[in-house]
Amino acid sequence: MPSSPLIPSEIGILGVASAEDVASRLRPWQIDGLVADLLLVLAATRTAEHPGISAAGSTVASRRFTALADAELMLAGPAAPRRWPLPPLPAGVSPAPLTHVALQRLSLMPVVAAVGLEHQSVAPHLRLESAELGPAACVSTGASMRLSRVQQLWRRGHRIGAGLRRPLVLSECVPGGTTTALGVLEGLGLDVSPWISGSALHPPKAMKARLVAHGLARAALPSPASSQQVLAAVGDPFQAVAAGLLRGALISGQPVMLAGGSQMLAVLALALQGLAEDDRLRLAAQVLLGTTPWLAEERVAGPVPSALGCVLEAVADRYQVPLVGAFSRLRFTRSRHQQLRDFEAGHVKEGVGAGALLLLAQLQGASTDDLLTRCDQAMEALLVSSVTSSP
């Protein structure tokens, strides 16, 4: 891990970039009184309906509402009445209360966008395509989306990125997204299957790999395949928007914090694919991956200390750019609530931008003790509101 007086002690670093590279990625987010934008993209893929593929909701039916419920809780807070109930989980709780806590410490302007959802949010949101298009098909089909749909979403994302006037935190909620991330990364030629995690305590890696292998075999992509060809074969709507946005950010020059794990690295790989060397280096210099400690320190492949770090390094090596990931060192071992302590056991790891926003809150001066106290308070409010709203 690089050492530098410019890197706060409560911040963890992923990747093998130099201390100078790390400091330069963190610097835009350490400006006192930072005002930035937050874009949360809600999307859906039929991949999430494969039994056992995702723990972002204990049932297939509940996973159809996960994105809406998480966005509503993130924006309104744990004490507010909710239209969409949180889906039942095997253990733990949605990361959305963590995101809400971090938002209270930040000067962010949140915008929610929806692509491919079967049910539309009652809250104001940015609609990037017709709601009639619905979720992407399962990756196993090898035909997740029409190429024309991918191109339209890419263009919409590109316009957003090119028009940025402030730093942007890009977040997502896509049940089944780690599987589409694996599909995209494998479709681009990166062998990362051993390191791709998931929302479950024990991610179904063999199932994910099998679905992706079936999809890529059916797609019969050319070699090399373009980003948009890969997306049409095994991607999801969020990835198309986000990859286009990153390409557009080359025009605006604004820094982008990618909030999440393998989904965000897949998006970054899509954006880097096909770029000239100078543009690849420029884009890498604008981007910082922000995640949670539970994902950053997860081991899913033997003794490797960070599976996500391995994915990050694979993308960096493939495109010959220095990439940096960072994470808050907030831990829940001292939490009053079992639902939060379940994060420490790996039942919940990341989502709805939680890691990046907690990281950003710390870069803006919040302590881990303060964040822990506020997360406990949010969990208490959520439990009370759940009881009072029960029939």
Side-chain angles (χ1 to χ4, degrees):
M1 179 183 302
S3 60
S4 167
L6 298 178
I7 302 172
S9 61
E10 289 190 326
I11 300 300
I13 301 299
L14 283 174
V16 294
S18 68
E20 291 75 16
D21 276 331
V22 172
S24 71
R25 300 301 196 284
L26 294 177
R27 192 173 299 118
W29 307 100
Q30 293 174 293
I31 296 170
D32 288 343
L34 173 73
V35 177
D37 291 318
L38 167 65
L39 177 61
L40 170 63
V41 182
L42 314 178
T45 165
R46 298 290 183 196
T47 305
E49 300 184 4
H50 196 86
I53 199 70
S54 173
S58 297
T59 66
V60 169
S62 69
R63 290 196 285 274
R64 294 171 184 157
F65 300 94
T66 298
L68 292 170
D70 280 351
E72 186 176 41
L73 177 53
M74 181 196 85
L75 294 172
R82 293 185 300 279
R83 165 68 176 85
W84 304 103
L86 290 173
L89 302 179
V93 68
S94 161
L98 282 59
T99 306
H100 180 78
V101 164
L103 278 174
Q104 304 313 298
R105 293 298 307 264
L106 297 166
S107 297
L108 292 185
M109 301 179 182
V111 174
V112 175
V115 281
L117 299 186
E118 290 187 285
H119 305 276
Q120 295 304 300
S121 172
V122 294
H125 63 278
L126 182 63
R127 185 172 294 176
L128 301 176
E129 63 175 3
S130 170
E132 297 177 357
L133 291 173
C138 181
V139 294
S140 62
T141 65
S144 291
M145 295 175 285
R146 291 183 180 274
L147 183 59
S148 59
R149 181 181 186 184
V150 170
Q151 292 168 337
Q152 181 186 43
L153 290 172
W154 186 291
R155 288 193 296 269
R156 295 285 173 85
H158 191 277
R159 283 201 291 271
I160 294 171
L164 291 176
R165 296 295 178 264
R166 290 177 290 270
L168 175 73
V169 179
L170 176 62
S171 62
E172 52 84 16
C173 186
V174 189
T178 55
T179 306
T180 56
L182 174 61
V184 160
L185 290 167
E186 295 276 344
L188 291 172
L190 285 87
D191 184 11
V192 295
S193 182
W195 305 317
I196 296 294
S197 181
S199 53
L201 176 60
H202 301 292
K205 295 197 296 179
M207 180 191 299
K208 293 172 184 283
R210 184 172 64 252
L211 292 175
V212 166
H214 287 168
L216 291 174
R218 290 171 176 169
L221 291 168
S223 181
S226 73
S227 294
Q228 294 186 0
Q229 288 172 323
V230 171
L231 282 165
V234 290
D236 65 52
F238 159 72
Q239 294 167 333
V241 173
L245 186 153
L246 286 179
R247 286 283 188 92
L250 278 170
I251 297 173
S252 68
Q254 292 293 335
V256 178
M257 186 181 292
L258 298 175
S262 56
Q263 260 284 49
M264 290 300 175
L265 291 174
V267 163
L268 182 53
L270 287 163
L272 291 168
Q273 178 82 353
L275 282 180
E277 180 182 4
D278 287 351
D279 286 337
R280 292 199 308 271
L281 290 169
R282 282 202 302 126
L283 181 56
Q286 289 177 235
V287 171
L288 172 69
L289 179 74
T291 193
T292 65
W294 307 288
L295 188 53
E297 298 177 353
E298 182 185 28
R299 300 185 180 200
V300 296
V304 174
S306 171
L308 182 61
C310 290
V311 180
L312 183 145
E313 285 305 308
V315 175
D317 290 345
R318 170 63 182 275
Y319 297 104
Q320 293 297 290
V321 292
L323 298 180
V324 176
F327 57 97
S328 163
R329 292 194 183 278
L330 171 68
R331 307 309 301 231
F332 287 145
T333 51
R334 295 185 291 113
S335 171
R336 303 194 309 268
H337 299 285
Q338 183 62 50
Q339 294 90 336
L340 295 182
R341 295 195 298 273
D342 284 341
F343 279 74
E344 298 295 335
H347 289 286
V348 187
K349 302 160 191 171
E350 172 63 283
V352 210
L357 292 176
L358 289 169
L359 168 69
L360 184 53
Q362 283 194 251
L363 292 173
Q364 288 293 302
S367 68
T368 51
D369 286 344
D370 176 55
L371 292 172
L372 173 59
T373 298
R374 290 170 182 262
C375 287
D376 266 332
Q377 292 169 347
M379 190 67 233
E380 184 68 30
L382 181 61
L383 291 173
V384 170
S385 69
S386 297
V387 170
T388 58
S389 63
S390 298

